[in-house]
Amino acid sequence: QVQLVESGGGVVQSGRSLRLSCAASGFTFRSYGMHWVRQAPGKGLEWVALIWYDGSNKYYADSVKGRFTISRDNSKNTLYLQMNSLRAEDTAVYYCATEHPTGTLESWGHGTLVTVSS
Amino acid sequence: QSALTQPASVSGSPGQSITISCTGTSSDFGSYNLVSWYQQHPGKAPKLMIYEGSKRPSGVSNRFSGSKSGNTASLTISGLQAEDEADYYCCSYAGSSTFVVFGGGTKLTVL
């Protein structure tokens, strides 16, 4: 079955960088668009970014545009989120999710917690 | 990117039906019916319950149903059960610039 395992979270100082990974298995990774979604402590879900199945198109929320970069390595079945210039408001659990069909986040990982300290 | 508007909380007794609304603008929903709903229990990942407005993924109970009228989507849960107590989020495809927008979430309490 579909398995998505996020990693790379932790405590980081404001202004620093962090890279999250999402290891995928149980499905044909190269055929699916992939999302990152985050959830601040006690808050709702916030969409962060989407990358097409082949990496040809990428979309970002305004709150992260210019600071975060989504990418993927289909040979490694892995999705990434490079997060630069981190701010306290980026503190959240970050989930990866598959896109299928359009606009639907079909399967989710269990998330990785990022804490940005000042 | 404005969030879709959901009530903060709803409640119902076991066996009853409840409806959660999700209101947006025409730019949030576009001309599509690509609304999805997610259930999230505390400390757990969200789970897809409804997609494309009214379709249920395999394994989701038929007590869950979705609909959309104009700029308001709705999730109805019939025959409420204790395990339905969770947070529910609506989500819509909003076009190629914003792509996806979530609602603020609704906490369902089963009395």
Side-chain angles (χ1 to χ4, degrees), chain A:
Chain A
Q1 73 276 20
V2 172
Q3 189 167 12
L4 299 168
V5 180
E6 301 94 337
S7 61
V11 180
V12 60
Q13 284 189 320
S14 179
R16 303 297 290 267
S17 300
L18 204 61
R19 188 177 84 157
L20 305 183
S21 299
C22 169
S25 60
F27 67 105
T28 307
F29 179 72
R30 64 180 180 273
S31 297
Y32 287 80
M34 295 293 297
H35 293 267
W36 285 102
V37 175
R38 67 185 181 183
Q39 187 170 34
K43 303 296 185 182
L45 301 173
E46 179 187 15
W47 175 75
V48 173
L50 163 72
I51 186 168
W52 279 22
Y53 68 101
D54 59 355
S56 61
N57 284 284
K58 304 174 185 181
Y59 305 88
Y60 298 93
D62 288 344
S63 58
V64 306
K65 203 172 292 184
R67 299 188 300 123
F68 290 11
T69 302
I70 189 171
S71 63
R72 64 191 298 157
D73 186 337
N74 286 345
S75 68
K76 296 182 178 179
N77 288 350
T78 303
L79 173 72
Y80 301 102
L81 185 67
Q82 178 67 43
M83 304 185 295
N84 298 332
S85 303
L86 283 162
R87 306 166 180 168
E89 55 264 36
D90 296 319
T91 294
V93 173
Y94 285 74
Y95 297 98
C96 61
T98 59
E99 152 94 353
H100 179 73
T102 299
T104 299
L105 290 82
E106 185 177 31
S107 299
W108 297 65
H110 287 100
T112 187
L113 176 62
V114 173
T115 303
V116 183
S117 64
S118 55

Side-chain angles (χ1 to χ4, degrees), chain A residues 39 47 50 59 62 101 105 109, chain B residues 1 38 40 45 89 96 98-99:
Chain A
Q39 187 170 34
W47 175 75
L50 163 72
Y59 305 88
D62 288 344
L105 290 82
Chain B
Q1 295 157 335
Y38 303 85
Q40 187 180 35
Y89 295 89
S96 58
T98 304
F99 210 89

